[in-house]
Amino acid sequence: MMLWSWILGTALAGGLAGTPPAPIVRITVDSARHELIITSGPFDLPNMPPMEDHAMMDLGMSHDTRLQRFEWPVNGWFRGFRVELVDRHGNAVPPHVMHHMIMVNFSRRQLLYSAAERLMGTGTETGEVSVPKTIGVPMKPGMKLGMYVAWHNDTGKDLEGVSLKLTMLWTPKNQNPPPVNALPIYMDVNLTVGGQNTFDVPPGKSTKAYEFTLPVGGRLLGVGGHMHDYGRNVRLEDAETGKVLTQVKAKRDAEGKLVKVSRKLFGVSGEGLRLKPKHRYRVVGEYDNPTGELLVKGAMASMVGLFVPDDMRRWPAVDPRDPTYQRDLASLDGRGGHDAHDVPSSPHAGHESHE
Ligand SMILES: [Cu+2]
């Protein structure tokens, strides 16, 4: 078995007075198991009051880490992950303390937006997540990744020296037949790249929509969604015919508060949901707000999925000079750097991609 590891420095720490240094990231490649093990920490997590709802998270009731950068080391396909948390003594920490974790790939852009790819996102309830070995996200050595975590420790006691162990599963280059390239796709009804994706919800029924075209056609293998309280559904529609192509639905409690959002799988071996290039589509978020009041910036609606492009060469390239891409980078680099003098200007930047 070949096993090697190295430590990446705190490249982000320079220059920002009053902010704690970025935690150390250590990467180990286990090429026998085809696992990449990323450990990060230590983090000191003071106890916080429990959050009543998702909106409190959005108001900054969490502790965000800074972006921790590292390079993807192997040739192959990323196909899944699992997360474990331990304290200084090696004891397990309740997984829900990690509210969410986002992995960014700066070396590839998103299909809809001139923003860095969000390679993966995980919330509190996730165990191991993986896709069959017949599909995977194509990865090359040297791809520049970054991760950040939003903590919310409501265990009733302070936690010190917590470290995070993220195991990323990959499929080697020589697998025969090779996996089909499947990439994350993110469709938000109201995203300003590098800014916010929240919007106001009037009383009663309402919708918010975003129209787009794709530079390359392909097929969607499955979708999930993200909404806040009083959400009904997120739909993908053909904007030229008005036909609903697929939707994920919110499960709500008696008061209309969000319990969870359904997912849809079109089958990884089947055709999936076919999307054409240069055709107008729209993603629509529907809310039904029974409170009788305007909920200011109270909503989000997005759909995420895995997309198999017909031709990987037509995937749009990162343009580092594009002001939109630069805004995305600036908002990611600014994460977790706030102190008493520096109120975060975009608390939702990055929140958009957790499910
Ligand atoms: Cu949200």
Side-chain angles (χ1 to χ4, degrees):
M1 172 174 94
M2 285 255 287
L3 187 77
W4 70 97
S5 82
W6 64 96
I7 295 177
L8 295 149
T10 55
L12 279 175
L16 289 164
T19 60
I24 301 281
V25 182
R26 170 183 285 150
I27 300 173
T28 306
V29 178
D30 183 334
S31 53
R33 289 170 184 255
H34 303 132
E35 289 183 353
L36 187 65
I37 298 123
I38 297 159
T39 54
S40 169
F43 299 99
D44 291 335
L45 310 175
N47 184 56
M48 291 176 124
M51 286 185 289
E52 277 176 28
D53 54 39
H54 187 90
M56 288 175 75
M57 183 75 202
D58 295 337
L59 292 171
M61 291 286 293
S62 68
H63 174 137
D64 288 0
T65 68
R66 310 198 58 190
L67 185 76
Q68 302 160 68
R69 288 178 180 263
F70 62 98
E71 287 188 3
W72 177 269
V74 294
N75 230 322
W77 288 263
F78 168 58
R79 61 170 284 263
F81 65 92
R82 60 181 177 270
V83 180
E84 294 155 78
L85 304 177
V86 290
D87 68 13
R88 174 193 290 152
H89 309 290
N91 300 316
V93 168
H96 76 267
V97 162
M98 187 180 80
H99 184 269
H100 63 255
M101 184 250 293
I102 305 291
M103 182 78 70
V104 182
N105 180 2
F106 294 99
S107 299
R108 188 161 44 216
R109 57 155 274 187
Q110 297 185 25
L111 192 56
L112 270 64
Y113 309 107
S114 178
E117 176 179 87
R118 270 39 172 194
L119 181 59
M120 56 176 269
T122 176
T124 48
E125 69 296 291
T126 314
E128 179 165 314
V129 174
S130 64
V131 295
K133 286 183 177 170
T134 50
I135 62 173
V137 187
M139 301 296 289
K140 289 197 183 102
M143 276 186 152
K144 293 188 168 30
L145 305 188
M147 64 186 275
Y148 62 86
V149 175
W151 299 105
H152 187 88
N153 172 16
D154 60 358
T155 59
K157 58 176 200 287
D158 295 346
L159 295 168
E160 284 173 10
V162 172
S163 56
L164 178 147
K165 181 182 168 195
L166 167 69
T167 304
M168 297 176 82
L169 319 179
W170 50 281
T171 300
K173 198 71 196 168
N174 60 6
Q175 178 178 286
N176 193 13
V180 169
N181 291 327
L183 287 81
I185 182 171
Y186 173 58
M187 299 167 275
D188 194 298
V189 305
N190 193 50
L191 176 65
T192 302
V193 172
Q196 302 199 350
N197 62 336
T198 48
F199 54 92
D200 299 347
V201 192
K205 273 203 173 147
S206 63
T207 58
K208 188 102 188 159
Y210 173 70
E211 200 173 292
F212 60 91
T213 59
L214 300 175
V216 55
R219 50 203 173 93
L220 263 181
L221 299 183
V223 288
H226 179 73
M227 300 197 93
H228 288 186
D229 287 342
Y230 315 124
R232 275 283 180 204
N233 57 63
V234 187
R235 307 191 291 265
L236 177 62
E237 298 179 352
D238 184 323
E240 299 184 10
T241 64
K243 189 181 169 208
V244 177
L245 302 174
T246 188
Q247 62 177 311
V248 290
K249 292 179 181 165
K251 186 176 170 205
R252 299 156 42 122
D253 69 13
E255 279 119 53
K257 298 217 168 159
L258 189 88
V259 179
K260 67 171 184 183
V261 180
S262 69
R263 294 169 188 222
K264 245 199 184 131
L265 270 183
F266 306 111
V268 289
S269 52
E271 256 302 283
L273 177 65
R274 174 98 221 136
L275 299 178
K276 293 178 270 193
K278 315 261 190 298
H279 187 90
R280 289 188 295 117
Y281 294 100
R282 70 175 160 249
V283 57
V284 185
E286 183 180 316
Y287 274 76
D288 190 355
N289 167 14
T291 64
E293 282 166 40
L294 177 76
L295 305 172
V296 177
K297 303 249 177 215
M300 290 188 196
S302 59
M303 196 178 262
V304 292
L306 269 180
F307 182 75
V308 177
D310 292 334
D311 183 354
M312 196 58 215
R313 290 166 302 182
R314 286 186 8 235
W315 196 274
V318 167
D319 178 0
R321 289 157 310 170
D322 181 345
T324 304
Y325 188 79
Q326 288 175 356
R327 273 205 315 274
D328 188 38
L329 290 203
S331 78
L332 287 164
D333 277 336
R335 288 196 70 83
H338 52 274
D339 57 23
H341 312 287
D342 180 14
V343 177
S345 58
S346 55
H348 299 93
H351 171 86
E352 74 272 14
S353 34
H354 89 89
E355 57 164 355

